[in-house]
Amino acid sequence: TYSLKLAFIGTHPPNSAYGRDMIPKRKFSDLLRTVGSIPGLDRLRFVTSHPRYMSLGVIDAVAETPSACENFHVPFQSGSNEVLAAMGRGHTREKYLQIIDRIRTRLPDASITADVIVGFPGETEEQFQETLSLMEEVVFDSANTAAYSPRPNTPAAEWDNQLSEEVKQDRLRRINELNLKHAGERRSRMMGRTAEVLVEERNVKKPTQVMGRTTHGFIVYFDGDIDELRGKLVNVEIDMCQTYYLCGKLVGVVEK
């Protein structure tokens, strides 16, 4: 018996616009609840949630839908309101932290990942420190980091307040150090737990192992036969935590 998983990809516009043209109107949170009630659906996942469009009701829907994975990818890009405005992101630091607070309140064990850019034109050291302070306040499970680079046909590429590569790379180095520290801290809480894992593939680096993911989205490696376990939900006792993956021992297949 295989497990059924469904993922919505690129959902940030529907978080705001989904269902507006329906009669009666619907919300993205309604869609999550409806799809989440499909018989036999074991996991429901969605990415990405743009903070400009994301409603707090989406978090409530995840908390109240058993098949919904406790994993939120919410890009923040910068912790400075001035930089966010210059980027045209349409949200503030305060709005972002309101979303995080609701996640932590409704789903204390949820994983939260994000995207962040450093070195945007005109970004000061003080504004960069605001990004670091937001990361310290949230403690992300992981973040996709990047230094700003000009893109053709974008307004910022023509601005005359571009930062030097030296400054951008220094800020990227500092933010990556913090990101790695937090990623390790967040995965270390899994030590000793028995986690439900959906088996996906063979571990290409160690063929006697298989790879799967927890409801948090954490990668887990453990000894097992991929031909027997692929697509199944299993319980794994976590006995090693690394920065970006976990290892453990197979306890058994989850009985449906």
Side-chain angles (χ1 to χ4, degrees):
T1 301
Y2 292 97
S3 295
L4 179 60
K5 173 185 173 182
L6 178 64
F8 293 125
I9 309 297
T11 60
H12 54 85
N15 281 346
S16 172
Y18 171 82
R20 287 186 177 182
D21 57 350
M22 295 181 183
I23 301 175
K25 291 183 178 181
R26 294 287 188 268
K27 299 177 181 178
F28 184 65
S29 55
D30 298 327
L31 179 64
L32 289 177
R33 287 189 170 91
T34 299
V35 174
S37 66
I38 294 175
L41 181 65
D42 295 294
R43 290 196 176 177
L44 174 62
R45 189 185 303 279
F46 65 95
V47 291
T48 298
S49 298
H50 192 306
R52 176 176 183 174
Y53 304 109
M54 186 177 182
S55 74
L56 300 182
V58 169
I59 301 165
D60 295 334
V62 172
E64 296 160 13
T65 304
S67 61
C69 292
E70 49 189 341
N71 170 223
F72 296 87
H73 184 73
V74 193
F76 69 97
Q77 305 299 8
S78 174
S80 163
N81 283 339
E82 292 85 359
V83 174
L84 289 171
M87 290 179 171
R89 292 292 296 173
H91 76 274
T92 63
R93 177 190 180 104
E94 291 73 25
K95 168 68 184 302
Y96 188 86
L97 291 175
Q98 182 185 31
I99 292 170
I100 300 302
D101 182 67
R102 178 65 71 91
I103 294 172
R104 297 291 192 216
T105 299
R106 293 302 313 269
L107 293 155
D109 198 45
S111 63
I112 303 174
T113 58
D115 302 332
V116 56
I117 294 173
V118 300
F120 191 77
E123 180 189 65
T124 65
E125 175 64 24
E126 182 180 11
Q127 290 167 339
F128 171 68
Q129 288 296 327
E130 291 184 78
T131 293
L132 293 178
S133 73
L134 187 145
M135 292 182 68
E136 290 280 18
E137 187 169 348
V138 176
V139 187
F140 293 97
D141 291 83
S142 66
N144 300 318
T145 65
Y148 171 81
S149 59
R151 293 288 186 268
N153 303 314
T154 59
E158 306 299 325
W159 297 351
D160 59 6
N161 56 351
Q162 306 291 325
L163 303 187
S164 69
E165 282 301 314
E166 181 181 11
V167 168
K168 289 192 288 187
Q169 291 306 312
D170 175 66
R171 291 178 184 175
L172 183 61
R173 175 189 59 78
R174 285 187 280 165
I175 210 164
N176 281 339
E177 288 176 356
L178 185 59
N179 184 33
L180 287 171
K181 174 176 176 287
H182 288 167
E185 289 174 358
R186 291 292 290 168
R187 280 157 187 74
S188 68
R189 76 187 193 278
M190 301 296 291
M191 178 64 76
R193 289 193 193 183
T194 297
E196 186 182 84
V197 175
L198 178 58
V199 181
E200 296 182 3
E201 298 291 346
R202 191 189 311 273
N203 181 355
V204 295
K205 293 184 178 180
K206 191 173 182 181
T208 58
Q209 289 188 335
V210 297
M211 181 277 285
R213 295 178 190 272
T214 68
T215 57
H216 306 89
F218 296 157
I219 291 174
V220 182
Y221 296 110
F222 59 96
D223 290 335
D225 183 346
I226 188 60
D227 294 323
E228 178 186 344
L229 298 175
R230 190 195 307 272
K232 293 184 178 180
L233 282 174
V234 299
N235 287 319
V236 177
E237 183 179 346
I238 305 301
D239 58 18
M240 186 172 76
C241 301
Q242 296 295 326
T243 303
Y244 285 123
Y245 66 90
L246 309 169
C247 293
K249 296 181 177 66
L250 177 65
V251 175
V253 175
V254 175
E255 297 296 334
K256 293 190 178 182

